[in-house]
Amino acid sequence: MPKDVCRRVLAEAEQTAEKRGEAVRRKDDRDRAKAKAVLRKRYPRMPLSDLEEVLGHAFIKGSGRVGRASGQSVERRASLAIGAHIRHNYTPYDDMLNRGEVNREQARNHVWKTVKDVKLTWTGEASNIPQRNNSCC
C-alpha cells in the first residue's frame, strides 16, 4: 500500500511539474518587475546599466543576497541592494579589503559618505554625477 501511494504521488508530481515550474517563473517575473518598479521610482536618475546590474545580482532567486531577504519589504531590500552595489562599484571598498588595510566595518564607514552621495544623486536630491570605480570587480 505505501508503495502504491508513493508511486501515485510521484506520477502526479511528474504530471504537474511543468505547470508548477511555469507558475514559479511567472511569480519570479512579477517579483523582478516589482523590484524594478521600486528601484526606478526611488532612484529615477540611476543609470539603466546599474539598474540591470542590481536586478541581475541582488535579486536572483537562490542567491542568498540582500534582494532576496525574506521578511523585508521590497523597498528595504532595494535600498540595501543599491547600497551594496554602490559600495562595490563606486568606492574603493573592495580594494581596501583586498589590501587588508581595514576590516569590513571600517571600510564601510570609510565609504559611507560616497554611498550616501550616489544614492542622493540617483534619487534626484543631489546634482553630482557619480563615477564608477573601474578598478574593482
Side-chain angles (χ1 to χ4, degrees):
M1 179 78 114
K3 287 183 181 180
D4 291 339
V5 171
C6 184
R7 278 191 213 114
R8 270 197 317 259
V9 168
L10 290 175
E12 287 175 21
E14 187 177 325
Q15 290 171 355
T16 62
E18 188 175 323
K19 188 175 183 178
R20 287 180 288 116
E22 182 56 34
V24 168
R25 282 187 290 281
R26 281 194 310 271
K27 183 184 181 308
D28 290 347
D29 289 346
R30 281 192 310 271
D31 290 348
R32 181 181 167 94
K34 185 174 182 180
K36 186 174 186 174
V38 166
L39 289 167
R40 282 323 273 154
K41 182 177 180 182
R42 195 165 197 188
Y43 304 100
R45 293 187 61 208
M46 178 175 38
L48 185 57
S49 60
D50 287 288
L51 172 66
E52 292 301 327
E53 197 171 326
V54 169
L55 289 170
H57 184 77
F59 289 90
I60 296 296
K61 188 174 188 169
S63 68
R65 295 191 179 101
V66 69
R68 299 298 300 182
S70 61
Q72 300 281 339
S73 70
V74 70
E75 291 80 8
R76 176 72 176 143
R77 289 181 284 144
S79 180
L80 293 171
I82 290 296
H85 175 76
I86 294 167
R87 188 170 50 250
H88 290 287
N89 292 282
Y90 286 82
T91 75
Y93 175 80
D94 291 315
D95 294 336
M96 293 168 65
L97 291 178
N98 290 336
R99 288 192 303 262
E101 295 174 352
V102 294
N103 64 36
R104 281 176 67 164
E105 184 179 343
Q106 291 168 323
R108 285 178 181 223
N109 288 335
H110 182 77
V111 304
W112 178 84
K113 183 178 182 329
T114 302
V115 171
K116 181 181 167 192
D117 289 346
V118 173
K119 278 185 169 185
L120 286 173
T121 299
W122 288 356
T123 63
E125 296 175 36
S127 60
N128 61 323
I129 307 294
Q131 298 295 314
R132 284 183 74 116
N133 179 4
N134 293 321
S135 68
C136 72
C137 312

